[in-house]
Amino acid sequence: MPLEAVVGVLRGCGEATRLRLLALLIAGELTVKDLTGILGQSQPRISRHLKLLCDAGIVERYPEGAWVYYRLGEGPEACIAKYAIEHLSKHDPVISGDLERLETLRRTKAQEAAEFFAERAKTWDLERNLHVPEADVEAAMRVLVGQQRIGNFLDLGTGTGRLLEVFADQYERGVGLDASGDMLSVARANLENAGISHAQVRQGDIYALPVEPNMSELTVVHQVLHFLEEPGRAISEAARTLKPGGRLLIVDFASHELEFLREKFAHRRLGFSQEQMRRWLEDAGVELLEYQQLSPKAAETNKLTVGLWLAKDPRIVSDLPHASLNKELV
């Protein structure tokens, strides 16, 4: 970095409140409301400090409905700030007090997320019982994807963030997108409980993803399409995120005739045939590599078959610059 740029970063960090903010943001993303509660300072004061940190390139902001989440950035400016924060003593009474209040806040949020999930659990359990065990589906996904390292991993319709946990040991950086703020709260709590710091979740419309093209090595759409009026449009939008040679994994129900799912579980589509999915993938400009089915046991006539479609961007991998998944979120 140029001399003046480094000086700008040091000036940005060089204030007690801003150092306290950075010590909290290095542990995860937080809102202004969260930070005012922890630091015991006014919202305008906290917002002003955050703006200075954002202007210096140290912190990044992610709007989510009426809220804005702040997180330590990933550029060289943030690296300098992170180095300084890592050398702060956690036994300092101010810093240790902030971290204790952060932990209390996290426990409260985890409890709220658990209560929200508990309200939905009965309905979700009923739906899960309609197909083979989720553990079998996840295992099949892992086998289909293989063991190769994944740079940027994108989970569309992330829900509780489960796939960010399942593939956490394979990707370098993961982002889960979902339209529901309540579900994102659950996902954040789950990721924190699992100790996963290289993934984050964001609010986004699956028809208009807040990401730039050519940035994902693996994009997954798991049990989402049957809720949509226009699955083909969502597949095209998912394909847009892929780097040359990137892969798209779709997991959903095979065609079935359980009409009650439309009213009871808000399903819009009664599964998908292999041919129908193949056409959508072709229209999206990706090639179907493999299709697998996970069928219930012969005696389980009332259960659904789960389909797994793995497709690939046919473009030859070139020397396109490696995109940062976080940086390319807009």
Side-chain angles (χ1 to χ4, degrees):
M1 291 176 64
L3 175 64
E4 285 303 315
V6 175
V7 170
V9 173
L10 295 176
R11 285 174 178 164
C13 298
E15 197 275 340
T17 296
R18 291 198 286 277
L19 282 174
R20 292 173 68 188
L21 289 171
L22 291 171
L24 293 167
L25 294 176
I26 201 172
E29 55 191 29
L30 297 164
T31 66
V32 171
K33 181 181 178 181
D34 296 334
L35 294 165
T36 56
I38 294 172
L39 269 66
Q41 298 184 18
S42 69
Q43 181 270 325
R45 179 179 173 83
I46 295 296
S47 294
R48 186 177 76 253
H49 284 301
L50 288 170
K51 182 179 186 305
L52 290 171
L53 291 169
C54 288
D55 290 345
I58 302 168
V59 167
E60 296 174 352
R61 65 192 303 277
Y62 297 94
E64 186 173 297
W67 292 1
V68 176
Y69 281 88
Y70 291 86
R71 183 185 180 97
L72 194 68
E74 301 226 346
E77 299 88 351
C79 289
I80 295 173
K82 185 176 181 181
Y83 181 83
I85 297 305
E86 287 175 343
H87 286 76
L88 276 175
S89 171
K90 292 185 178 180
H91 300 295
D92 179 275
V94 175
I95 297 299
S96 62
D98 289 344
L99 294 177
E100 287 175 7
R101 287 186 288 274
L102 172 62
E103 189 56 36
T104 299
L105 175 67
R106 282 180 165 175
R107 287 197 296 268
T108 300
K109 287 188 173 184
Q111 180 61 33
E112 292 173 350
E115 291 173 357
F116 170 80
F117 190 84
E119 292 178 3
R120 293 285 190 80
K122 184 178 292 186
T123 301
W124 286 3
D125 286 342
L126 287 173
E127 187 171 359
R128 286 193 189 96
N129 287 335
L130 292 172
H131 61 80
V132 296
E134 200 66 39
D136 292 349
V137 177
E138 292 173 358
M141 294 172 69
R142 289 291 302 249
V143 171
L144 198 57
V145 168
Q147 296 299 313
Q148 68 188 72
R149 292 294 298 170
I150 301 165
N152 290 331
F153 174 77
L154 185 60
D155 179 23
L156 306 184
T158 193
T160 64
R162 174 58 186 167
L163 291 188
L164 292 171
E165 296 183 53
V166 170
F167 288 96
D169 63 334
Q170 277 190 255
Y171 60 76
E172 296 176 12
R173 187 172 295 108
V175 168
L177 295 172
D178 203 286
S180 169
D182 288 332
M183 291 308 301
L184 291 177
S185 295
V186 174
R188 285 192 180 95
N190 288 342
L191 291 176
E192 288 179 358
N193 289 337
I196 297 173
S197 60
H198 59 302
Q200 55 182 285
V201 293
R202 296 279 170 261
Q203 192 167 44
D205 182 350
I206 199 167
Y207 293 132
L209 297 172
V211 298
E212 295 294 331
N214 304 316
M215 40 67 84
S216 174
E217 278 89 358
L218 178 63
T219 296
V220 178
V221 187
H222 176 239
Q223 296 290 16
V224 173
L225 295 182
H226 60 260
F227 289 110
L228 305 180
E229 295 287 353
E230 301 179 84
R233 180 180 165 197
I235 290 172
S236 293
E237 185 68 359
R240 183 182 67 84
T241 70
L242 298 178
K243 296 180 66 175
R247 294 177 296 168
L248 172 62
L249 176 60
I250 296 174
V251 181
D252 218 299
F253 298 128
S255 296
H256 62 84
E257 298 180 356
L258 300 184
E259 284 286 345
F260 76 92
L261 292 177
R262 295 189 192 275
E263 292 185 7
K264 193 166 186 178
F265 296 108
H267 288 202
R268 294 293 178 266
R269 301 296 184 108
L270 298 182
F272 307 97
S273 68
Q274 184 177 358
E275 178 60 24
Q276 183 180 43
M277 190 67 73
R278 184 188 62 78
R279 288 198 306 270
W280 278 331
L281 291 169
E282 286 182 356
D283 290 344
V286 293
E287 298 175 351
L288 180 62
L289 296 178
E290 190 171 349
Y291 172 66
Q292 292 185 9
Q293 283 190 346
L294 298 179
S295 301
K297 297 177 182 178
E300 298 174 323
T301 56
N302 61 334
K303 289 195 173 184
L304 300 175
T305 293
V306 175
L308 296 88
W309 292 265
L310 182 65
K312 183 177 182 179
D313 186 300
R315 293 174 295 169
I316 298 174
V317 178
S318 67
D319 58 351
L320 285 174
H322 182 77
S324 165
L325 190 54
N326 290 332
K327 285 290 186 182
E328 298 302 332
L329 285 166
V330 295

